[in-house]
Amino acid sequence: MTVVNTGGSVVLAAMSIASMLGFRNLHLFGYDFMVPSQEKTYADDIAGISVDRTYMKVEVGEDHEPVLTCTSFLSFAQQFFNMLETQRKWGLTDS
């Protein structure tokens, strides 16, 4: 039996499964872990009322651009980079 650690989001799950199936070069679009504002969240007008979130500004990139995110998105980003590091260590990705 094979057990696949899928992380905390569907994108992380898809990455894990793709890796286990032998895919080595993935392209992710729109996986930026940010929200436009506290009033207009990522699922506004789509998923209805969401759970309360804690928002914070973080700096990203070489220019230290300030963006708004939430704690769960930061966790997803950490899981993503840990997963990518593990895949590189084991030669499971070309990225």
Side-chain angles (χ1 to χ4, degrees):
M1 172 176 31
T2 301
V3 177
V4 180
N5 179 0
T6 60
S9 76
V10 295
V11 173
L12 295 171
M15 285 178 58
S16 289
I17 293 168
S19 177
M20 294 300 296
L21 291 173
F23 290 92
R24 300 177 53 84
N25 193 357
L26 303 177
H27 298 268
L28 304 178
F29 299 93
Y31 200 51
D32 56 18
F33 304 112
M34 60 179 272
V35 295
S37 71
Q38 289 186 28
E39 294 77 32
K40 178 81 173 163
T41 63
Y42 61 95
D44 197 34
D45 299 328
I46 298 172
I49 298 173
S50 183
V51 297
D52 288 334
R53 298 205 182 272
T54 302
Y55 294 97
M56 64 195 74
K57 285 187 179 178
V58 297
E59 295 178 355
V60 298
E62 293 177 2
D63 296 331
H64 303 283
E65 177 185 355
V67 297
L68 187 66
T69 191
C70 60
T71 53
S72 58
F73 283 5
L74 287 177
S75 177
F76 295 159
Q78 183 180 33
Q79 292 172 29
F80 169 82
F81 287 111
N82 286 340
M83 184 180 296
L84 185 60
E85 181 181 334
T86 300
Q87 290 175 344
R88 285 178 176 158
K89 176 181 175 182
W90 290 95
L92 298 173
T93 184
D94 293 334
S95 301

